[in-house]
């Protein structure tokens, strides 16, 4: 393996190691299980309160025998209490108004996705942030029967039926008498997913063999993901849900049972339609209790203030458990809602005992975790003491009624006891909250070390990067570190012994050895032979002086790193990138215009020194067949015409930047404001949206055909691909079909598009192979004619590399255009214009160095990443794109499409970067740096260093901020996004380096006659 190939593979290895370090850090930062909280064994209900014996069997019994829990996915609180609630849900509003029910606002904790929210409602726990990932990939939960009121109901032989989101079936397998699940991830389905639930209601309401019915409707959430909360489809769906509630209420009323209907949302919906973050509309959802019984909800709940009407979502688990006569779940941290218990439990002794059981369960959990149990439970003890005094007084009153002295206002005393129990639970929950997240510091520490090692390895000089493998020494060093690891595990501090990496199963041991070997190998490469002091400097290596734009790019990179230390700047990171990018564009525009030779007094152009670093000051188009490039030097009057053109181009970039800032608002402060993209996406503007998409596809097609090094049938494939993209959107109703195209789910159109994309790539590979054959035949002809001038192997494959990089860019652009919503396709066209303008302008001036251009394109990719509406909130993920052309849910396909759509701009920026570098190096016949290999390696190194700069500082900062108020709402999502940005960079570089290696080997085989045509 040659030195250049070895260097490129080494650089790819360093980025892979960095990604491993980030994943390991996330594993330690987001523990899968709740550390510190042990599932307590079931204990009998307390038979005494503060030493005073009570009869638990008579005080704690089932209050209701029919419970229906209706979960409406993504139901916002303003859908119920907003000004249009009475019009959208008239029947439910009338029930609340007439005192047949009561409304609470349920406070949801991030992450606001379905799986952790179901856990909170059924188990009363504070779910882990890792549930964001398990929400998609977890197949079956290991939740024990004691962990949820559903499991406890099954243990008490209460029958439960379920219909709706199949997440419940994964969480609670074998827990339902009858069930049918629907996929929650196929977001393009608005009606069938709900109809599959509603069609069971008539049958179930006639049955009497169930005790609990759970219904989870998904249609509202799907509409929000696709069209947002202000779509005209929302009122229709709310009316449908109102009809369902009416049917359930009347069905319960006919049964003449002690029954309860609970309606709630699992999470809210952001104003842009997504969820997963911590905005008000995502974290405040309705919780309604409705009953056909003759209960006066108004008299018990009328005096509640606004604060008392806000409850935690986890309070639902303990409330329903008490009403069903079940012990609260063993991991429950919620407090039963006193108002609801008082309505259904009129007996004061039973009501207070139910509150005591709830607080006793939380106190038992606290006692199992903390030695200082008394520090967090004094309010519970005070409430128990008051409770016991009330019991003594009540017993004495019954026994000595004529002679009994009053102990004050009884109602006030009962409220005081209930309040102390509720506040005591809150106090104990806060204490337990310190144990809910027990970070795996050892895994986090290893993650930081590995990431920093990768960053430092990427800075080694290329002559050092010729891997001086000493496998034996690295292996011995790893063995020594493993011995040290096990010694600390057995005899050391809890830093390692409490880590999940200290387990002794085979998988953990093999994983730990691999991680330690990576650390040992990297340490050996860094420190042996004083490699640590051989860090490279690209400008010294290529002998390029420091330029203003390079200095600004370096300064801007550090400025971006500093901004990551602020939660507000992370939420509004798009503004940082927009400011940096627009400043860079102004600087480059001024520099390029100033670098053009100017006329002197005699109107003669004066020459300025030009740095030939990967480019030449020529205007030419690449052709690969018998044509030789004919450079056209910029001289004379053409200089000033060129200057005007460049000024016009950079002015156009500035105008595009200003327009796109208002195209898709993002961030926390302005993300909910109306923007141009919302206006285009409005259902009433389908004709405008159709024209915008058609014109954008036309522009993208023209760009790809005009700049393609391949002429002929390839252009026809691109036209057909653009038509197919429009046909797909017309089939699913996103754009107008002009009554000429049938409606469908678009799976056929997407399949045809994939075939066209494969044909485009196959044609590109064929044309690249023809170039290799042509170059080899030409060298043979020169040899026969006595010409000894040879090009290197890298130069042999450079022309083919230009073709293949263009074809892979073309493939990616077509894929992105199909995944993006019709209103976002103009963003892709704008990106192509800006990238082409920047590349050509920089190349024409001869100032295209391998340090400035990669950073410029990385900034371009990031600013357009936010122009598409992305942010550092999980709510900005566009799930509809993940189901493009899909009829069924597949976690692998959906995950790949979601990744491609979300990070399409950063990946496209990398692919275009190396394509433009390949073009410039293929034109430089007089530039002796073994083009394009060393230029490419230097660019890869610049990309990796720029990507890892913020990561290596952000990971230690996360450790310092682990107890920050916004750690789970701001810093944790950003940590996940940084890992996926690293993955996107690795993916882009893997494509480029893989293509380059393949072409290099093919050129070598062709040169020695091992491949014949």
């Amino acid at each position: 393996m040659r030195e250049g190939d070895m260097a490129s593979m080494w650089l790819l290895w360093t980025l892979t190691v960095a990604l491993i370090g980030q994943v390991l850090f996330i594993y330690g930062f987001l523990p899968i299980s709740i550390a510190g909280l042990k599932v307590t064994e079931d204990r009998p209900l307390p038979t005494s309160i503060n030493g005073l014996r009570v009869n638990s069997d008579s005080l704690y019994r089932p209050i209701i025998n029919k419970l229906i829990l209706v979960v409406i996915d993504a139901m916002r609180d303003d859908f119920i209490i907003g000004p249009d609630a009475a019009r959208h849900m008239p029947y439910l509003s009338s029930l609340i108004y007439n005192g047949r029910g009561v409304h609470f606002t349920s406070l949801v904790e991030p992450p606001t996705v379905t799986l952790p929210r179901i856990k909170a409602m059924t188990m009363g726990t504070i779910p882990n942030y890792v549930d964001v990932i398990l929400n998609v990939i977890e197949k079956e939960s290991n939740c024990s029967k004691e962990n949820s009121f559903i499991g406890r109901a099954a243990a008490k032989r209460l029958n439960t039926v379920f219909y709706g989101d199949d997440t419940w079936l994964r969480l609670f397998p074998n827990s339902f008498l009858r069930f049918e699940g629907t996929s929650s991830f196929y977001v393009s389905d608005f009606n069938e997913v709900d109809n599959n639930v509603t069609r069971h209601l008539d049958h179930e309401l006639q049955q009497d063999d169930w005790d609990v019915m759970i219904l989870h409707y998904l249609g509202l959430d799907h509409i929000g993901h696709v069209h947002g909360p202000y779509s005209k489809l929302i009122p229709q769906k709310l009316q449908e849900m109102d009809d369902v509630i009416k049917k359930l209420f009347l069905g319960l009323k006919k049964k003449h049972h002690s029954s309860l209907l609970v309606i709630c949302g699992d999470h809210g919906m952001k104003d842009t339609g997504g969820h997963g973050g911590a905005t008000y509309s995502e974290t405040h959802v309705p919780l309604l209790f409705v009953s056909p019984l003759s209960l006066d909800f108004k008299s018990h709940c009328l005096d509640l203030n606004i604060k008392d009407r806000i409850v935690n979502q986890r309070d639902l688990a303990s409330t329903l458990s008490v009403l069903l006569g079940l012990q609260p779940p063993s991991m429950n941290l919620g407090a039963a809602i006193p108002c609801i218990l008082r309505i259904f439990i009129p007996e004061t002794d039973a009501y207070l005992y139910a509150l005591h059981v709830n607080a006793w369960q939380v106190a038992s959990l606290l006692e199992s975790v903390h030695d200082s149990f008394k520090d967090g439970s004094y309010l519970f003890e005070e409430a128990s003491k008051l409770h016991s005094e009330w019991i003594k007084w009540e017993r004495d009153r019954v026994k000595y009624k004529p002679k009994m002295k009053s102990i004050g206002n009884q109602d006030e005393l009962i409220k005081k006891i209930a309040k102390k129990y509720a506040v005591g639970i809150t106090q104990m929950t806060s204490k337990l909250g310190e144990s809910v997240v027990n970070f795996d510091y050892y895994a986090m520490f290893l993650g930081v070390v590995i990431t920093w090692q990768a960053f430092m390895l990427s800075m080694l000089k290329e002559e050092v990067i010729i891997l001086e493998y000493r496998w034996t020494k690295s292996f011995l060093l790893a063995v020594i570190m493993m011995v040290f690891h096990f010694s600390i595990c057995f005899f050391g501090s809890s830093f390692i012994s409490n880590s999940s990496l200290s387990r002794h199963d085979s998988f953990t041991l093999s994983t730990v050895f691999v991680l330690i070997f990576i650390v040992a190998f990297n340490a050996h490469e860094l420190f042996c032979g004083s490699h640590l002091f051989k860090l490279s400097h690209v400008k010294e290596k290529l002998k390029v002086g420091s330029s203003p734009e390079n200095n600004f790019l370096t300064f801007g990179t550090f400025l971006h790193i500093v901004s990551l230390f602020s939660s507000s700047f992370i939420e509004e990171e798009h503004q940082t990138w927009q400011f940096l990018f627009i400043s860079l564009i102004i600087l480059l525009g001024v520099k390029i215009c100033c670098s053009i030779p100017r006329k002197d007094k005699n109107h003669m152009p004066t020459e300025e020194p030009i740095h030939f670093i990967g480019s030449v000051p020529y205007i030419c188009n690449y052709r690969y067949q018998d044509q030789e490039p004919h450079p056209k030097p910029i001289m004379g009057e053409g200089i000033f015409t060129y200057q005007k053109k460049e000024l016009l181009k950079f002015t156009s970039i500035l105008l595009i930047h200003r327009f796109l800032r208002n195209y898709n608002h993002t961030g926390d402060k302005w993300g909910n404001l109306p923007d141009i993209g919302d206006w285009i996406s409005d259902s009433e503007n389908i004709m405008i949206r159709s024209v915008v998409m058609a014109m954008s596809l036309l522009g993208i097609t023209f760009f790809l055909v005009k700049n393609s090094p391949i002429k002929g049938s390839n252009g026809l494939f691109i036209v057909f691909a653009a038509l197919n993209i429009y046909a797909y959107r017309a089939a699913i109703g996103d754009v107008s079909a002009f009554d000429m195209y049938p409606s469908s789910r678009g799976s056929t159109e997407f399949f045809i598009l994939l075939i066209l994309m494969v044909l485009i790539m196959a044609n590109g590979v064929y044309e690249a192979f023809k170039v290799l054959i042509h170059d080899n035949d030409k060298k043979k002809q020169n040899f026969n004619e006595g010409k000894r001038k040879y090009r290197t192997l890298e130069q042999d494959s450079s022309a083919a590399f230009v073709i293949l990089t263009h074809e892979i860019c073309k493939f990616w652009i077509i894929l992105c255009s199909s995944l993006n919503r019709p209103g976002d396709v103009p963003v892709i066209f704008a990106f192509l214009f800006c990238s082409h303008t920047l590349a050509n302008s920089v190349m024409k001036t001869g100032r295209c160095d391998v340090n400035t251009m990669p950073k410029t394109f990385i900034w371009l990719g990031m600013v357009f990443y936010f122009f598409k509406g992305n942010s550092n909130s999980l709510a900005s993920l566009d799930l509809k794109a993940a189901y493009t052309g899909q009829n069924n849910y597949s976690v692998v396909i959906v995950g790949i499409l979601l990744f491609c759509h979300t990070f399409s701009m950063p990946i496209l920026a990398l692919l275009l970067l190396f394509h433009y570098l390949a073009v410039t190096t293929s034109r430089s016949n007089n530039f002796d740096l073994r083009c394009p290999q060393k230029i490419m390696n230097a660019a890869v190194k610049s990309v990796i260093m720029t990507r890892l700069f913020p990561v290596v500082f952000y990971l230690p900062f996360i450790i310092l901020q682990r107890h920050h108020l916004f750690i789970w709402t701001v810093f944790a999502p950003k940590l996940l996004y940084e890992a996926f940005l690293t993955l996107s960079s690795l993916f882009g570089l893997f494509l480029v380096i893989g293509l380059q290696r393949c072409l290099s080997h093919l050129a070598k085989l062709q040169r020695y006659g091992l491949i014949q045509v």
Side-chain angles (χ1 to χ4, degrees):
M1 188 178 291
R2 297 190 307 276
E3 175 181 341
D5 292 337
M6 184 70 74
S8 63
M9 295 307 296
W10 172 259
L11 292 170
L12 204 59
W13 159 256
T14 59
L15 191 57
T16 304
V17 169
L19 182 61
I20 293 173
Q22 287 181 260
V23 172
L24 182 60
F25 183 90
I26 293 173
Y27 171 79
F29 183 70
L30 305 176
I32 293 179
S33 61
I34 299 180
L37 297 185
K38 308 295 182 181
V39 178
T40 57
E41 296 182 359
D42 269 350
R43 296 189 292 179
L45 291 173
T47 56
S48 64
I49 299 176
N50 199 33
L52 191 64
R53 294 190 63 82
V54 294
N55 187 350
S56 59
D57 293 334
S58 62
L59 294 176
Y60 201 83
R61 61 186 186 276
I63 306 301
I64 57 175
N65 49 30
K66 292 292 180 183
L67 168 67
I68 299 181
L69 173 61
V70 181
V71 180
I72 304 176
D73 210 292
M75 172 70 89
R76 290 165 42 138
D77 199 36
D78 57 353
F79 289 164
I80 298 296
I81 61 175
D84 297 326
R87 181 160 50 91
H88 296 161
M89 305 188 77
Y91 190 78
L92 180 59
S93 299
S94 66
L95 290 177
I96 302 299
Y97 180 78
N98 295 326
R100 306 304 296 270
V102 62
H103 165 266
F104 292 91
T105 296
S106 179
L107 185 61
V108 178
E109 295 166 324
T112 50
V113 294
T114 298
L115 178 66
R117 305 288 37 99
I118 294 177
K119 287 185 176 180
M121 288 188 291
T122 58
M123 305 177 190
T125 61
I126 302 176
N128 298 301
Y129 204 87
V130 76
D131 286 325
V132 172
I133 301 173
L134 299 181
N135 186 59
V136 179
I137 66 173
E138 189 174 46
K139 295 298 181 184
E140 185 171 319
S141 176
N142 58 354
C143 299
S144 63
K145 291 184 177 180
E146 295 79 13
N147 276 358
S148 68
F149 79 83
I150 294 177
R152 290 196 180 277
K156 291 289 186 179
R157 300 187 181 278
L158 299 180
N159 293 326
T160 305
V161 295
F162 170 79
Y163 301 100
D165 187 354
D166 59 3
T167 305
W168 292 75
L169 302 180
R170 291 186 278 131
L171 275 176
F172 311 110
N174 306 318
S175 297
F176 304 110
L177 178 66
R178 290 182 294 274
F179 60 87
E180 183 182 14
T182 57
S183 176
S184 61
F185 295 104
Y186 192 74
V187 297
S188 296
D189 181 11
F190 303 154
N191 300 315
E192 185 178 347
V193 71
D194 287 344
N195 294 337
N196 287 336
V197 178
T198 305
R199 65 188 177 91
H200 295 281
L201 297 187
D202 291 332
H203 172 74
E204 291 296 344
L205 290 174
Q206 294 174 3
Q207 305 300 313
D208 203 40
D209 59 347
W210 55 268
D211 303 285
V212 179
M213 181 192 297
I214 300 176
L215 309 172
H216 192 142
Y217 285 91
L218 294 165
L220 187 69
D221 177 68
H222 290 184
I223 294 173
H225 279 296
V226 178
H227 297 292
Y230 304 111
S231 167
K232 291 186 176 181
L233 297 176
I234 293 291
Q236 300 175 18
K237 181 59 65 174
L238 292 177
Q239 180 64 59
E240 179 185 339
M241 294 295 101
D242 193 59
D243 295 339
V244 169
I245 293 169
K246 180 179 180 179
K247 177 179 290 189
L248 294 173
F249 182 83
L250 296 178
L252 286 177
K253 191 174 183 179
K254 292 178 182 179
K255 287 184 173 294
H256 303 291
H257 287 292
S258 177
S259 55
L260 174 65
L261 174 61
V262 180
I263 304 105
C264 65
D266 58 343
H267 53 73
M269 184 191 302
K270 199 174 181 180
D271 288 337
T272 54
H275 57 86
T279 61
Y280 184 91
S281 57
E282 294 173 88
T283 57
H284 289 71
V285 300
L287 174 60
L288 300 104
F289 294 86
V290 179
S291 177
L293 301 176
S294 298
L295 301 173
D296 191 359
F297 285 91
K298 280 189 175 182
S299 62
H300 290 90
C301 302
L302 186 62
D303 59 342
L304 292 178
N305 55 38
I306 297 178
K307 183 179 179 180
D308 291 334
R309 287 187 179 272
I310 298 178
V311 298
N312 287 308
Q313 190 179 53
R314 60 178 180 268
D315 296 342
L316 182 62
S318 53
T319 303
L320 297 182
S321 297
V322 171
L323 295 178
L324 291 170
L326 308 171
Q327 284 195 36
S330 58
M331 303 283 286
N332 171 64
L333 299 177
I337 304 174
C339 171
I340 299 300
L341 297 188
R342 191 56 170 162
I343 293 172
F344 284 89
I345 310 177
E347 301 87 358
T348 302
D349 54 349
Y351 164 67
L352 292 178
Y353 183 76
L355 294 176
H356 177 80
V357 169
N358 184 194
W360 163 81
Q361 175 268 322
V362 178
S364 300
L365 188 60
L366 178 64
E367 187 177 8
S368 68
V369 174
H370 284 285
D371 296 332
S372 56
F373 165 70
K374 301 291 184 181
D375 294 342
S377 61
Y378 66 89
L379 282 178
F380 165 64
E381 293 179 347
E382 288 184 8
S384 299
K385 185 177 180 181
L386 285 176
H387 189 181
S388 64
E389 292 178 358
W390 180 88
I391 293 174
K392 288 180 182 179
W393 182 87
E394 184 65 18
R395 290 177 179 176
D396 291 342
R397 185 185 65 82
V398 173
K399 186 176 182 180
Y400 308 107
K401 185 174 181 179
K403 302 179 181 180
M404 191 65 199
K405 293 183 179 180
S406 176
I407 60 172
N409 190 325
Q410 295 300 303
D411 291 338
E412 291 298 325
L413 178 61
I414 293 170
K415 290 181 180 180
K416 183 178 181 181
I417 296 173
K419 186 71 173 178
K420 281 191 175 293
Y421 274 132
V423 176
I425 292 175
T426 302
Q427 182 190 53
M428 291 185 289
T429 301
S430 299
K431 189 72 174 178
L432 281 166
E434 301 173 3
S435 303
V436 168
V437 180
N438 188 11
F439 300 105
D440 191 340
Y441 291 105
Y442 184 43
M444 294 168 68
F445 173 76
L446 280 180
V448 172
V449 170
I450 291 175
T451 307
W452 266 97
Q453 284 183 331
F455 175 66
M456 297 175 70
L457 286 172
S458 67
M459 300 172 66
L460 292 177
K461 288 187 176 181
E462 289 187 10
E463 56 266 24
V464 177
I465 294 177
I466 307 173
L467 300 181
E468 299 176 2
Y469 290 155
R470 297 181 177 89
W471 295 102
T472 303
K473 293 183 179 180
S474 298
F475 182 81
L476 291 176
L477 181 59
V479 170
I480 295 174
M481 296 177 70
M482 281 292 291
V483 172
F484 180 73
H485 165 80
F486 286 117
S487 300
I488 296 181
C489 286
F490 284 108
F491 307 107
S493 65
S494 60
F495 178 76
I496 294 181
S497 59
N498 290 340
S499 171
S500 58
L501 298 179
S502 64
R503 293 195 295 261
H504 299 149
D505 57 279
S506 58
F507 177 77
T508 303
L509 290 176
S510 58
T511 302
V512 170
F513 181 77
V514 170
L515 292 174
I516 290 181
F517 181 80
I518 291 175
V519 173
F521 177 78
N522 293 341
H524 182 271
E525 287 298 318
L526 279 172
F527 292 97
C528 292
S530 301
H531 291 180
L532 183 63
F533 304 102
K534 296 180 181 179
L535 300 180
S536 66
H537 300 280
V538 177
K539 67 177 184 180
E540 178 182 351
K541 178 70 180 176
L542 299 179
K543 298 181 181 180
V544 178
S546 179
S547 61
E549 56 268 28
N550 188 39
N551 291 337
F552 178 77
L553 286 164
T554 303
F555 170 75
T557 300
F558 280 103
L559 191 64
H560 173 246
I561 293 172
V562 173
S563 71
L564 297 181
F565 299 157
S566 167
S567 61
S568 298
F569 274 99
I570 291 177
E571 291 176 329
E572 309 297 330
E573 187 181 0
H574 62 285
Q575 296 194 48
T576 302
W577 284 112
Q578 290 170 5
F579 166 75
L580 293 175
F581 180 73
I582 202 66
S583 303
L584 176 64
I585 293 301
I586 294 174
L587 178 61
L588 286 176
V590 173
K591 186 67 181 293
I592 287 175
C593 292
C594 293
S595 65
I596 299 173
R598 299 181 179 180
K599 289 184 177 181
D600 58 13
K601 293 182 179 179
N602 298 323
H603 301 284
M604 295 296 293
T606 59
E607 297 294 333
E608 290 188 0
I610 298 178
H611 302 282
F612 291 86
I613 307 300
S615 67
V616 289
Y618 295 142
I619 303 175
C620 60
N621 292 322
Y622 174 78
R623 292 293 183 270
Y624 67 89
Q625 294 182 347
D626 295 333
Q627 307 175 25
E628 292 290 341
H630 298 285
K632 299 177 182 179
I634 306 173
M635 297 182 64
E637 295 296 333
I639 295 174
F640 304 100
T641 303
Y642 168 76
Q643 188 178 39
K644 293 178 182 178
K645 290 181 179 179
E646 292 303 303
L647 283 174
L648 181 61
K649 290 179 180 179
F650 274 86
T651 302
S652 300
I653 294 179
L654 295 177
L655 293 176
I656 290 173
H657 180 276
R658 186 64 190 89
F659 175 76
L660 291 179
R661 286 190 63 179
N662 289 333
Y663 197 83
N664 285 317
H665 286 153
T666 184
D668 185 61
K669 294 182 179 179
W670 293 279
N672 60 330
L673 297 179
D675 51 44
I676 300 173
D678 294 335
W679 177 72
I680 294 177
S681 300
D682 192 273
S683 57
E684 295 181 351
N685 298 326
I686 186 171
M687 293 303 300
I688 296 176
R689 184 165 62 251
S690 303
V691 172
V692 168
M693 184 176 187
M695 296 300 295
S696 301
L697 288 175
L698 181 63
I700 292 173
T701 303
F702 176 77
F703 176 88
L704 294 179
V705 173
K706 180 178 182 296
N707 294 282
S708 177
I710 304 175
K711 307 302 177 184
S713 61
N714 195 270
L716 193 61
F717 287 147
I718 298 173
V719 174
F720 283 146
L723 292 175
N724 200 264
I725 292 173
Y726 189 91
Y728 166 75
R729 291 296 171 181
I732 64 176
D734 284 351
V735 296
S736 176
F738 303 101
D739 298 326
M740 295 186 298
Y741 201 84
S743 298
S744 67
R745 286 191 170 182
S747 55
T748 302
E749 289 80 3
F750 189 71
F751 180 73
I752 295 174
L753 179 64
L754 293 179
I755 294 177
L756 290 172
M757 293 165 65
V758 171
L759 291 176
I760 289 172
M761 279 302 303
N763 188 47
V765 172
Y766 172 73
E767 295 293 339
F769 191 68
K770 282 175 60 178
V771 170
L772 292 177
I773 298 171
H774 173 78
D775 286 347
N776 188 64
D777 293 340
K778 189 172 182 179
K779 285 194 290 289
K780 288 181 180 179
Q781 180 181 356
N782 291 339
F783 180 79
N784 294 332
E785 295 174 358
K787 298 178 181 180
R788 300 284 181 173
K789 185 177 180 179
Y790 285 94
R791 299 166 65 187
T792 64
L793 290 178
E794 290 83 356
Q795 290 171 328
D796 286 341
S797 60
S798 61
F801 187 60
V802 170
I803 295 176
L804 279 188
T805 52
H806 187 274
E807 296 308 296
I808 196 67
C809 289
K810 189 185 301 180
F811 181 94
W812 191 257
I813 291 167
I814 294 173
L815 178 63
C816 295
S817 300
S818 65
L819 296 180
N820 277 271
R821 302 185 187 218
D824 288 338
V825 178
V827 179
I828 301 177
F829 180 62
F831 178 86
L832 295 177
F833 174 81
C834 293
S835 62
H836 189 71
T837 300
L838 283 174
N840 279 347
S841 298
V842 172
M843 288 188 296
K844 288 174 184 178
T845 61
R847 298 183 181 274
C848 171
D849 69 78
V850 292
N851 215 13
T852 300
M853 197 166 178
K855 293 178 183 178
T856 302
F857 270 74
I858 289 175
W859 284 25
L860 179 67
M862 288 306 300
V863 76
F864 273 85
Y865 167 81
F866 289 105
F867 279 154
K868 278 184 56 182
N870 293 310
S871 69
N872 289 321
S873 170
L874 299 177
S876 62
L877 293 175
D878 186 1
L879 292 182
K880 183 182 179 181
Y883 293 88
T884 301
Q886 305 301 307
N887 286 327
N888 300 300
Y889 173 68
S890 170
V891 62
V892 176
I893 296 176
V894 168
I896 291 174
L897 292 179
L898 182 62
F899 171 78
C900 292
H901 172 264
T902 305
F903 301 98
S904 57
M905 292 295 102
I907 294 175
L908 181 58
L910 285 181
L911 297 177
L912 287 174
L913 163 68
F914 287 97
H915 169 67
Y916 288 127
L917 285 176
V919 171
T920 54
T921 53
S922 68
R923 296 174 182 174
S924 304
N925 296 321
N926 299 322
F927 182 53
D928 188 17
L929 270 180
R930 297 185 180 182
C931 299
Q933 186 69 65
K934 287 201 172 184
I935 291 293
M936 293 298 170
N937 288 344
V940 170
K941 177 184 292 188
S942 181
V943 169
I944 293 176
M945 292 175 62
T946 305
R947 171 85 286 272
L948 295 184
F949 251 127
V951 174
V952 295
F953 289 101
Y954 189 67
L955 296 187
F957 176 74
I958 283 289
I959 298 178
L960 297 177
Q961 298 293 327
R962 62 190 181 278
H963 297 304
H964 194 280
L965 179 63
F966 301 130
I967 185 65
W968 303 117
T969 58
V970 178
F971 295 108
K974 177 59 179 174
L975 180 65
L976 295 177
Y977 275 108
E978 284 295 321
F980 278 101
L981 282 171
T982 302
L983 178 61
S984 66
S985 298
L986 180 62
F987 175 72
L989 294 179
F990 179 81
L991 287 178
V992 171
I993 294 176
L995 285 176
Q996 193 177 38
R997 291 285 308 279
C998 290
L999 286 173
S1000 178
H1001 287 299
L1002 285 175
K1004 185 176 180 180
L1005 293 174
Q1006 175 65 18
R1007 181 172 184 177
Y1008 291 105
L1010 298 179
I1011 298 179
Q1012 301 291 337
V1013 178

